[in-house]
């Protein structure tokens, strides 16, 4: 068999002169560090929280400070806020009413606008104080998080205003994802608002080979606010119960309320027996609310976030190559994917949404230019010479495309076969995806994900508990993790089971072991996990566990995943940790 022949089409030379004329002024956009800073100021002392023990190699010789995490490094590459005139921007292309239609007096600082809409009553609870203490003693975490939030906060606050919902809810992504749209949890929740696949579909978040609406900040915000409003109504206007249900599911909260009601106990959030994560989740939001309301009281100072839109939506007029849009707009492909993390392929979804978010100062004339591109100019293509044994499917796989795309590019019918030695137009793979988008595509393409898509819609299986069964044991046998199994059944991971009890263990409940290190293989794989991390340009950190720490809180502090933390330390995912225990992590240094 002769090797495949590829001839590259000089697509860039096909772009209309009008595109260059209209957008010449936008061709160069300097990159700067995120503008949001969190710094210490003299204030009433707070009880100190011991810092992680970091080995000497972790110090940055340029700054004499700790090396930034991967998330911080990512945020440093985000496009700066533009100081452009936004008075003529039409926000009607985004879901919901125009984002400025309710604001009558425009504050210069978005923080002030956020604070002015706080509605949830503050409470004097030890759990809130404990979480507040953690946040106040980790300004580096806040700076990274709010640096990413600067892209999305203006839009989220505007949508909350339209719905007359508490603006504290704009801080939920701090707790859910640290405002990282590409965040992906051990329970396979994704995006700023951390939707699992089934809940995303319940709220009309499209998920396919091209696009995942859970990572689209505009669509996911719409879905999250729909969900929170529905929960608020279900729990008779109690926002704390609604927020708790957003974390652990309405079924778990309803069962906890029923238990307390039967026992004659109060049914407010603070008296319910809920999963451990949820008991910390609501106090985290209340602590963040208290901190944002008055940062100087806790020895912090937030730099201003301009109360202006960072991005504007433009219509693409159909499927289009992301690199083509980036080149015409005069921005990098990485910046375009940063604003459009829902797309995880080289082009937008052929079935929509047919819109992209672009920085305000790159939007002028862009929509009109895209509308005038020919089909050949909209997609970067190459020529592929068909070899013996090729089919449309195998060619599509070779070029990371769908068979339907190969057929569309070459006007092939559903039953047409490629002719040997003929040339086909195929999508160009000359420019790779940015790292985060490539990782998102890989997650979608894993065998475990394909299996879940295959079984979607199958009614859940029921397993009857036998004497001696535990949630952990059943989860191991079913190839899932104990947290997913517990949550699907309104239980906590440590709850005891009784013989005859029925558990949901069907395809919509189970997750496979792809995202978690199985208990049996953890010790045998953690050495290789450490070696891979060490060779990936990461720095070794030794962390000493403090009282009250969890694997989740430590992973969040170090900006790594629980999965990696478990693998590096040869642990099972449900293993408890103890104060004084040391954990090893590998944190990526600033590029």
């Amino acid at each position: 068999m002769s090797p495949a022949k590829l001839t590259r089409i000089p697509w860039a030379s096909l772009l209309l002169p009008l595109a260059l004329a209209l957008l010449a002024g936008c061709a160069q956009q300097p990159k700067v560090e995120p503008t949001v800073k969190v710094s210490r100021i003299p204030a009433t002392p707070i009880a100190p929280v011991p810092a992680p023990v970091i080995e000497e190699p972790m110090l940055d010789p340029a700054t004499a400070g700790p090396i930034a995490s991967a998330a911080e490094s990512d945020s440093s590459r985000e496009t700066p806020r533009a100081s452009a005139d936004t008075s003529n921007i039409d926000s009607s292309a985004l879901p919901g009413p125009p984002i400025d239609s309710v604001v009558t007096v425009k504050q210069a600082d978005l923080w002030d606008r956020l604070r002015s809409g706080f509605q949830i009553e503050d409470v004097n609870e030890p759990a809130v104080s404990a979480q507040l203490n953690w946040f106040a003693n980790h300004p580096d975490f806040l700076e990274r998080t709010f640096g990413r939030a600067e892209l999305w906060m203006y839009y989220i606050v505007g949508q909350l205003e339209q719905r007359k919902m508490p603006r504290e809810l704009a801080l939920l992504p701090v707790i859910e994802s640290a405002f990282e749209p590409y965040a992906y949890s051990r329970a396979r929740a994704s995006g700023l608002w951390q939707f699992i696949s089934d809940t995303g579909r319940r709220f009309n978040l499209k998920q396919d080979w091209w696009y995942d609406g859970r990572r689209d900040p505009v669509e996911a915000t719409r879905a999250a606010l729909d969900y929170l409003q529905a929960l608020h109504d279900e729990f008779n206007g109690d926002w704390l119960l609604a927020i708790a249900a957003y974390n652990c599911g309405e079924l778990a909260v309803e069962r906890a309320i029923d238990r307390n009601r039967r026992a004659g106990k109060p049914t407010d959030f603070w008296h319910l027996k809920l999963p451990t994560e949820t008991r910390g989740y609501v106090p985290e939001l209340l602590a963040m609310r208290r901190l944002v309301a008055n940062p100087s009281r806790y020895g912090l100072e937030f730099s201003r976030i301009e109360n202006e839109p960072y991005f504007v939506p433009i219509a693409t007029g159909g499927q289009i190559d992301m690199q083509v849009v980036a080149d015409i707009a005069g921005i990098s492909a990485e910046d375009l994917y940063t604003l459009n993390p829902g797309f995880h392929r080289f082009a937008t979804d052929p079935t929509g949404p047919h819109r992209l978010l672009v920085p305000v100062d790159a939007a002028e004339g862009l929509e009109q230019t895209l509308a005038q591109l020919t089909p050949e100019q909209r997609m970067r293509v190459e020529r592929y010479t068909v070899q013996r044994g090729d089919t449309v499917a195998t060619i599509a796989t070779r070029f990371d495309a769908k068979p339907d795309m190969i057929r569309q590019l070459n006007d092939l019918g559903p039953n047409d076969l490629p002719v040997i030695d003929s040339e086909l137009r195929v999508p160009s793979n000359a420019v790779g995806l940015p790292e985060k988008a490539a990782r998102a595509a890989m997650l979608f393409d894993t065998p475990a994900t394909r299996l879940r898509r295959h079984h979607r819609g199958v009614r859940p299986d029921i397993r009857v508990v036998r004497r001696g069964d535990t949630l952990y044991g059943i989860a191991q046998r079913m190839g899932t993790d104990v947290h997913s199994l517990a949550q699907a059944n309104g239980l906590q991971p440590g709850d005891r089971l009784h013989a005859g009890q029925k558990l949901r263990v069907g395809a919509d409940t189970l997750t496979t072991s792809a995202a978690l290190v199985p208990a049996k293989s953890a010790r045998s794989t953690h050495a290789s996990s450490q070696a891979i991390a060490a060779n990936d340009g990461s720095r070794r950190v030794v962390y000493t566990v403090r009282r009250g720490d969890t694997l989740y809180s430590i992973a969040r502090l170090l900006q790594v995943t629980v999965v990696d933390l478990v693998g590096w330390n040869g642990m099972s995912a449900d293993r408890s940790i103890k104060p004084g225990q040391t954990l090893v992590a590998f944190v990526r240094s600033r590029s």
Side-chain angles (χ1 to χ4, degrees), residues 512-529:
T512 64
S513 57
L516 284 174
V517 179
K520 291 183 180 178
S521 61
R523 286 183 171 81
S524 63
T525 61
H526 83 279
S528 58
S529 298

Side-chain angles (χ1 to χ4, degrees), residues 86-420:
T86 61
S87 58
N88 295 322
I89 292 175
D90 181 9
S91 62
S92 61
L94 296 179
I99 41 189
D100 273 334
S101 63
V102 168
V103 181
T104 55
V105 178
K106 184 174 180 180
Q107 294 110 323
D109 190 349
L110 188 60
W111 290 118
D112 292 335
R113 182 177 170 189
L114 178 65
R115 295 177 188 115
S116 67
F118 283 176
Q119 299 177 26
I120 300 175
E121 184 179 357
D122 198 2
V123 293
N124 185 21
E125 289 285 340
V128 177
S129 299
Q131 297 290 354
L132 180 61
N133 196 40
W134 190 94
F135 285 131
N137 282 278
H138 292 87
D140 54 339
F141 168 78
L142 297 176
E143 184 172 330
R144 289 194 300 270
T145 299
F146 291 145
R148 291 188 288 267
E150 190 179 13
L151 295 179
W152 316 113
M153 188 76 83
Y154 178 89
Y155 178 74
I156 294 171
V157 169
Q159 294 304 301
L160 288 167
E161 288 172 347
Q162 305 308 319
R163 297 169 180 249
K164 296 180 171 55
M165 295 171 72
R167 289 181 211 165
E168 292 97 325
L169 299 178
L171 300 171
L172 262 184
V174 175
I175 316 303
E176 287 285 353
S177 63
F179 269 101
E180 171 54 80
Y182 285 98
Y184 191 72
S185 78
R186 62 183 178 187
R188 293 170 180 80
S190 187
L192 289 181
W193 297 91
Q194 290 290 281
F195 277 97
I196 62 172
S197 182
D198 288 342
T199 306
R201 285 188 171 80
R202 175 180 163 192
F203 288 93
N204 301 313
L205 290 178
K206 181 181 179 182
Q207 299 160 59
D208 63 19
W209 191 84
W210 297 96
Y211 167 84
D212 189 338
R214 298 176 300 164
R215 289 197 312 273
D216 183 333
V218 167
E219 273 298 291
T221 296
R222 186 268 310 159
L225 301 192
D226 285 350
Y227 190 17
L228 285 163
Q229 186 65 65
L231 293 169
H232 172 263
D233 296 342
E234 179 177 348
F235 292 106
N236 301 315
D238 190 321
W239 276 113
L240 297 191
L241 292 180
I243 294 165
Y246 186 88
N247 176 253
C248 66
E250 50 265 57
L251 180 61
V253 175
E254 288 168 359
R255 287 182 174 177
I257 290 174
D258 289 342
R259 283 195 298 267
N260 277 26
R261 189 175 287 125
R262 289 194 301 269
K265 298 179 179 179
T267 57
D268 62 287
F269 169 78
W270 304 103
H271 289 86
L272 297 182
K273 183 182 180 183
L274 292 169
T276 302
E277 181 180 318
T278 307
R279 292 202 302 271
Y281 181 84
V282 173
E284 275 189 277
L285 179 64
L286 296 177
M288 182 55 61
R289 175 203 186 280
R290 193 183 295 177
L291 184 65
V292 169
N294 190 359
S296 62
R297 179 180 178 184
Y298 305 100
L300 299 175
E301 182 179 23
F302 298 168
S303 62
R304 189 168 78 172
I305 298 180
E306 296 297 329
N307 189 17
E308 297 176 355
Y310 177 83
F311 59 79
V312 62
I314 56 103
T316 61
Q319 186 179 36
I320 192 165
D321 191 301
M322 296 285 281
Q323 185 68 53
V324 169
V325 177
D327 288 344
I328 295 177
I331 61 178
S332 69
E334 184 173 359
D335 287 341
L336 187 62
Y337 278 97
T338 294
L339 282 177
N340 298 274
F343 296 107
H344 51 252
R345 305 293 175 180
F346 60 90
T348 61
D349 193 324
T351 60
H354 297 310
R355 60 115 174 101
L356 286 171
L357 306 180
V358 297
V360 169
D361 64 345
E364 185 178 357
L366 180 58
E367 193 168 296
Q368 295 89 334
T369 301
L370 297 183
Q372 297 182 56
L373 297 179
T374 66
E376 289 75 18
Q377 292 168 337
R378 295 178 68 86
M379 300 290 290
R380 294 173 301 138
V381 295
E382 298 175 351
R383 298 285 184 182
Y384 171 75
T385 302
V386 179
Q387 307 297 303
R388 185 177 303 277
D390 278 342
T391 66
V392 171
T394 59
I395 295 171
T397 300
R398 182 192 298 267
F399 292 97
D400 193 25
K402 298 285 281 185
D404 286 345
M405 166 170 273
I406 301 298
R407 294 187 184 280
Q408 291 169 8
L409 287 174
N410 296 279
D411 295 323
L412 294 175
N415 298 316
D416 291 343
L417 299 176
V419 178
I420 297 175

